[in-house]
């Protein structure tokens, strides 16, 4: 006991103050790759998940497929770079195609309509929020980051967010994994057992698109084939700050409503 007391006196408060205050670690986190729309594409490096494409002369990266292997950045640094920050480029979006960067242009009316729909659905989720996590064929990397949210550094409970074992008590369904077909039934049963309003977050590249297993017959190529997804979070894996950001977007505690609110 004395060792823990001395350590507490030595280290002080280690819990992050984010999002109330900026956190250098959150801002410095390396996220998925983004592409530049300027200059000729030329010979593009091979991508193991097919995340790179050229549209109307612009190089685009589907961050929902990016597994952070870094091959494109190493071979073509003139066209590709790492995104930075848990709440900047490469963070959660409210539509699947919002993860494709650079994003195609859209009207302000469409953006505002999407924000209004989000606010209408999450008005009731303002105070105590309970989360049910389902592993739908994950490799375990996202689970490590989710587990970190319960530690003293991130302390998700300070934001009024708690994990629950029962879907009947859950407001948010946090899904990881590529969508294993054997988990389709349990995942859908969990979703159906949750009361309204409910929000689904696809956590990580595997959950968004299936990742390296997207072409396998053993998976559904992401979890959206089984449950309707409201918030899409890329990353392999995403950081704990990224997961926190997605949760706050999902429950309406971030005014802007997240990236690509389409």
């Amino acid at each position: 006991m004395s060792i823990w007391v001395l350590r507490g006196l030595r280290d002080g408060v280690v819990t992050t103050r984010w999002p109330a205050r900026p956190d250098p670690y959150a801002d410095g986190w390396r996220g998925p790759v983004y592409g530049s729309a300027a200059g000729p594409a030329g010979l593009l490096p091979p991508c193991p998940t097919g995340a790179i494409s050229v549209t109307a002369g612009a190089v685009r990266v589907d961050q929902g497929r990016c597994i952070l292997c870094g091959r494109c950045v190493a071979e073509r640094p003139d066209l590709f770079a790492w995104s930075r920050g848990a709440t900047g480029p490469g963070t959660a979006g409210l539509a699947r195609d919002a993860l494709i960067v650079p994003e195609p242009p859209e009207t302000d009316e469409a953006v505002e309509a999407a924000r209004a729909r989000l606010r209408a659905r999450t008005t009731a989720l303002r105070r105590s929020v309970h989360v049910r996590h389902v592993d739908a064929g994950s490799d375990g990397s996202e689970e490590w980051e989710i587990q970190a949210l319960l530690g003293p550094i991130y302390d998700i409970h300070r934001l009024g967010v708690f994990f629950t074992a029962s879907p009947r008590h859950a407001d948010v369904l946090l899904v990881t994994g590529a969508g294993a077909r054997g988990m389709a039934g349990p995942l859908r049963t969990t979703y159906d057992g949750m009361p309204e309003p409910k929000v689904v977050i696809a956590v990580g590249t595997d959950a968004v698109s299936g990742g390296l297993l997207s072409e396998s017959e053993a998976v559904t190529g992401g979890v959206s084939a089984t449950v309707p997804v409201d918030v899409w979070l890329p990353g392999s894996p995403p950081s704990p700050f990224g997961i926190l950001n997605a949760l706050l977007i999902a429950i309406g505690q971030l005014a802007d409503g997240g990236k690509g609110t389409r």
Side-chain angles (χ1 to χ4, degrees):
M1 178 64 72
S2 60
I3 296 177
W4 289 105
V5 171
L6 292 174
R7 180 176 295 179
L9 292 173
R10 181 193 65 194
D11 296 340
V13 177
V14 297
T15 304
T16 179
R17 297 296 191 269
W18 188 91
R21 299 179 187 176
D23 189 300
Y25 187 61
D27 296 336
W29 187 275
R30 191 180 78 178
V33 168
Y34 67 91
S36 170
L43 181 63
L44 295 177
C47 177
T49 58
I52 301 172
S53 63
V54 179
T55 305
V59 178
R60 301 192 187 278
V61 177
D62 184 350
Q63 295 182 329
R65 290 181 174 272
C66 178
I67 58 170
L68 283 72
C69 68
R71 180 182 300 178
C72 57
V73 178
E75 295 187 16
R76 292 296 304 273
D78 57 321
L79 288 179
F80 303 98
W82 296 109
S83 58
R84 292 286 177 180
T87 60
T91 55
L94 300 182
R96 175 64 182 89
D97 56 356
L99 302 184
I100 301 175
V101 293
E103 298 179 55
E106 62 178 8
T107 64
D108 293 338
E109 291 78 8
V111 173
E112 183 53 38
R115 290 175 178 170
R117 289 194 297 270
L118 177 68
R119 287 194 296 267
R121 291 188 57 198
T122 59
T123 299
L125 306 180
R126 297 296 186 186
R127 296 180 181 274
S128 178
V129 175
H130 287 76
V131 177
R132 176 74 171 105
H133 167 233
V134 173
D135 176 352
S138 171
D139 61 4
S141 59
E142 287 85 6
E143 279 67 28
W144 279 106
E145 309 305 322
I146 293 173
Q147 186 67 28
L149 297 177
L150 301 175
I153 302 295
Y154 303 100
D155 188 17
I156 195 173
H157 296 163
R158 66 189 166 87
L159 300 174
V161 180
F162 305 88
F163 282 87
T164 179
S166 172
R168 297 188 182 279
H169 300 157
D171 308 297
V172 177
L173 179 58
L174 209 64
V175 190
T176 58
R181 295 192 181 278
M183 281 299 298
L187 177 57
R188 186 68 200 190
T189 299
T190 299
Y191 176 81
D192 292 338
M194 294 172 60
E196 296 287 351
K198 51 191 172 186
V199 180
V200 178
I201 305 177
V203 179
T205 297
D206 287 350
V208 171
S209 66
L212 288 171
L213 299 177
S214 60
E215 302 300 324
S216 171
E217 295 183 357
V219 302
T220 57
V223 300
S224 63
T226 304
V227 293
V229 175
D230 300 290
V231 180
W232 307 78
L233 178 62
S236 186
S239 73
F241 280 113
I243 301 173
L244 279 178
N245 183 59
L247 280 167
L248 294 179
I249 291 172
I251 62 180
Q253 290 190 16
L254 292 183
D256 291 339
K259 181 186 86 170
T261 48
R262 290 184 277 173

